[in-house]
């Protein structure tokens, strides 16, 4: 059964990469499963090229016969599961600290109260994690960071980054009028493994993009401490607008270079195709979805 499911998924996806993502397995494991199927059947079911795979004549004949059966079996299995009174499941999700605090937890809280048999583990990390190899059920990243072959669901709106500092800091040091003037200020750095080191602040105005490498006393690898250090007067921080908004409203922070603040694509939940059929996981996706 496993070999037939793997074969059908590859045939539909057209590549091992997409099929592996949909099934939530590694490409090497998927290739091994297909080889085992071909050895047991004594025929080649897939013709491989450097760019894609396609069923052989014998493979297509097999596909035409087994796909309706596989679909019927899957529908029956989930029909049985759907009759349970309490959806249940354990789900691991990799995310960033900002997305976990601002987007996931507010939406997950009522769901977990309503469905006590649904268990969620949130792992915060800025690394672009391979959710298949790392055995995550889903990941949360910005739209442009979503892995190929995954199903992606928007869970938050587009947002902008804000350069912010305390009134006391700006009173003593002045405010930068251009992104380049940030090099003359104490700034609070963020170290991101996906950027190969310290994050270069990104600005844009009238189609002109500027990236600035800043310096200062403090460097963090998560965003919340950057905000706190800026409030405490240790320099200028660069944080999402949703995170900075309360401190700006209270007067603890002031924003600068706002005309240079570019919008970023919002956060998406992404996951392998195989996760679609789980009733408990569907509840989580529906709760997290952003209209």
């Amino acid at each position: 059964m496993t070999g037939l499911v793997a074969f059908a998924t590859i045939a539909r996806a057209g590549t091992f990469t997409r099929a592996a993502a949909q099934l939530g397995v590694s490409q090497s494991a998927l290739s091994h499963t297909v080889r085992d199927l071909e050895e047991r059947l004594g025929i080649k079911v897939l013709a491989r090229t450097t760019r894609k795979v396609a069923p052989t004549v014998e493979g297509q004949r097999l596909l035409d016969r087994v796909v309706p059966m596989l679909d019927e079996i899957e529908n029956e299995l989930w029909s049985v599961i759907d009759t349970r009174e309490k959806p249940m499941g354990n789900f691991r999700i990799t995310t960033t600290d900002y997305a976990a605090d601002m987007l996931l937890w507010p939406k997950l809280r009522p769901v977990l109260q309503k469905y006590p048999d649904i268990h969620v583990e949130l792992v915060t990390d800025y690394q672009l994690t391979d959710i298949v190899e790392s055995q995550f059920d889903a990941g949360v990243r910005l739209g442009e960071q979503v892995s190929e072959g995954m199903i992606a669901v928007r869970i938050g709106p587009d947002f902008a980054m804000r350069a912010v500092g305390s009134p006391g800091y700006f009173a003593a040091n002045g405010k930068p009028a251009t992104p380049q003037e940030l090099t003359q200020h104490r700034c609070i750095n963020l170290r991101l493994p996906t950027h190969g080191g310290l994050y270069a602040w990104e600005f844009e105005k009238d189609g002109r993009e500027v990236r600035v490498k800043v310096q200062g006393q403090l460097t963090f690898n998560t965003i919340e401490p950057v905000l706190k250090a800026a409030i405490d007067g240790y320099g200028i921080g660069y944080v999402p607008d949703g995170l900075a908004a309360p401190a700006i409203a209270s007067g603890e922070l002031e924003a600068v270079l706002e005309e240079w603040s570019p919008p970023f694509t919002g956060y998406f939940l992404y996951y392998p195709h195989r996760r679609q059929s789980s009733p408990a996981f569907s509840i989580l996706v529906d709760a997290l979805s952003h209209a």
Side-chain angles (χ1 to χ4, degrees):
M1 177 69 75
T2 301
L4 291 173
V5 171
F7 164 54
T9 304
I10 296 167
R12 286 169 168 167
T15 70
F16 273 84
T17 300
R18 293 193 184 95
Q22 291 175 11
L23 290 171
V25 300
S26 67
Q27 292 186 53
S28 59
L30 189 59
S31 181
H32 181 74
T33 299
V34 172
R35 282 199 302 270
D36 283 348
L37 175 66
E38 291 178 330
E39 288 176 3
R40 284 189 284 111
L41 295 177
I43 60 172
K44 284 285 186 183
V45 296
L46 288 173
R48 301 165 175 81
T49 68
T50 55
R51 305 186 70 175
K52 64 178 183 178
V53 293
T56 61
V57 174
E58 294 84 357
Q60 187 61 54
R61 187 179 300 117
L62 177 64
L63 202 62
D64 292 340
R65 291 178 62 86
V66 302
V67 165
M69 299 178 188
L70 292 174
D71 289 343
E72 184 176 353
I73 291 172
E74 183 174 14
N75 290 335
E76 287 298 323
L77 285 173
W78 290 118
S79 176
V80 171
I81 292 174
D82 279 336
T83 63
R84 295 189 309 203
E85 293 182 2
K86 297 181 179 180
M88 61 182 64
N90 300 311
F91 305 104
R92 298 180 72 235
I93 302 175
T94 173
T95 180
T96 65
D97 55 334
Y98 172 73
D101 292 341
M102 303 298 292
L103 299 175
L104 296 180
W105 181 237
K107 295 180 179 180
L108 286 176
R109 187 167 54 233
V111 172
L112 297 180
Q113 289 175 344
K114 184 177 181 180
Y115 300 101
D117 292 317
I118 294 179
H119 302 268
V120 177
E121 178 182 352
L122 297 180
V123 179
T124 57
D125 186 5
Y126 281 87
Q127 188 74 37
L128 292 181
T129 305
D130 184 325
I131 64 172
V132 173
E133 292 190 0
S134 300
Q135 298 183 329
F136 285 98
D137 296 284
V140 172
R141 292 294 185 269
L142 297 176
E144 61 265 22
Q145 297 173 329
V146 173
S147 304
E148 179 187 3
M150 294 285 173
I151 296 172
V153 177
R154 179 182 282 272
I155 63 170
D158 290 351
F159 67 95
M161 298 290 287
R162 292 283 184 266
V164 293
S166 69
Y169 174 83
F170 288 133
N173 300 277
K175 295 183 178 180
T178 67
Q180 291 84 350
E181 291 182 18
L182 288 168
T183 59
Q184 303 168 24
H185 285 263
R186 283 186 289 134
C187 295
I188 304 161
N189 262 307
L190 179 67
R191 187 176 296 279
L192 297 180
T194 55
H195 286 71
L198 299 179
Y199 172 53
W201 297 5
E202 302 170 83
F203 298 93
E204 181 180 335
K205 182 180 179 182
D206 299 328
R208 179 189 174 198
E209 297 181 2
V210 177
R211 295 171 65 90
V212 181
K213 292 185 177 181
V214 299
Q215 295 183 346
Q217 280 184 294
L218 291 170
T219 299
F220 299 100
N221 67 346
T222 58
I223 201 70
E224 186 74 30
V226 174
L227 179 75
K228 293 178 179 178
I231 291 173
D232 290 339
Y234 283 89
I236 301 174
Y238 196 53
V239 298
D241 51 9
L243 188 63
I248 293 174
S250 68
E252 294 177 287
L253 289 176
E254 296 177 0
V256 294
L257 304 173
E258 291 193 87
E259 70 275 16
W260 284 89
S261 298
F264 282 80
T265 303
Y267 282 94
F268 285 73
L269 179 79
Y270 64 98
Y271 53 92
H273 181 271
R274 65 181 173 84
R275 269 289 167 213
Q276 259 188 320
S277 302
S278 164
F281 189 73
S282 295
I283 289 172
L284 294 182
V285 173
D286 289 344
L288 293 173
S289 297
H290 176 76

